[in-house]
Structures are given as structure tokens and as C-alpha cells.
Amino acid sequence: MPVTVYCENCGQPFEVRPYRANKARFCSQTCQGSWTMENIINTGAKPHLIGNQFRKGKTPPNVFT
């Protein structure tokens, strides 16, 4: 007896089991990844996730990085 939920990224309906109805937010990992890129990583909310752009022009702290 699946429950229909709508994806936060693309808006398409998808079905989940009733115990996940309040927790499921995305229809696929692709939608979750693109939502994360738009809303968390590229907004500066977590600058350590931006990657090399955050440390641009700085030398690595040790040889192994």
C-alpha cells in the first residue's frame, strides 16, 4: 500500500512505503544531488564543500594533499 509523495527538486510524484512518507524528499539520487548542488554547496552555506575554489591560490599544508 504505497503512498504518493512529490519530489522537492523536479516535482514529479513517486511512491514510497507509508513509514517513509514524512521523510522521503527526492525521487532519485540524481534529484537529491542536483538539489544539494543548488541549495547547499554553491550558496556558500558550507564553504568547506566547495572544493578547490575555496583554497584557490593557497599552498597545501603537507605533501600528501
Side-chain angles (χ1 to χ4, degrees):
M1 183 159 84
V3 177
T4 302
V5 182
Y6 293 92
C7 180
E8 286 189 22
N9 189 44
C10 66
Q12 293 193 5
F14 65 100
E15 294 182 348
V16 295
R17 294 185 180 194
Y19 72 91
R20 291 193 61 226
N22 294 332
K23 294 181 181 180
R25 296 174 58 191
F26 305 102
C27 61
S28 65
Q29 289 181 349
T30 305
C31 276
Q32 181 182 5
S34 62
W35 184 90
T36 302
M37 288 296 291
E38 292 173 6
N39 294 302
I40 295 178
I41 294 178
N42 291 335
T43 60
K46 295 184 178 181
H48 62 283
L49 295 177
I50 293 174
N52 292 336
Q53 296 298 321
F54 183 64
R55 296 179 49 94
K56 193 172 187 177
K58 298 184 179 179
T59 58
N62 61 37
V63 182
F64 301 107
T65 55

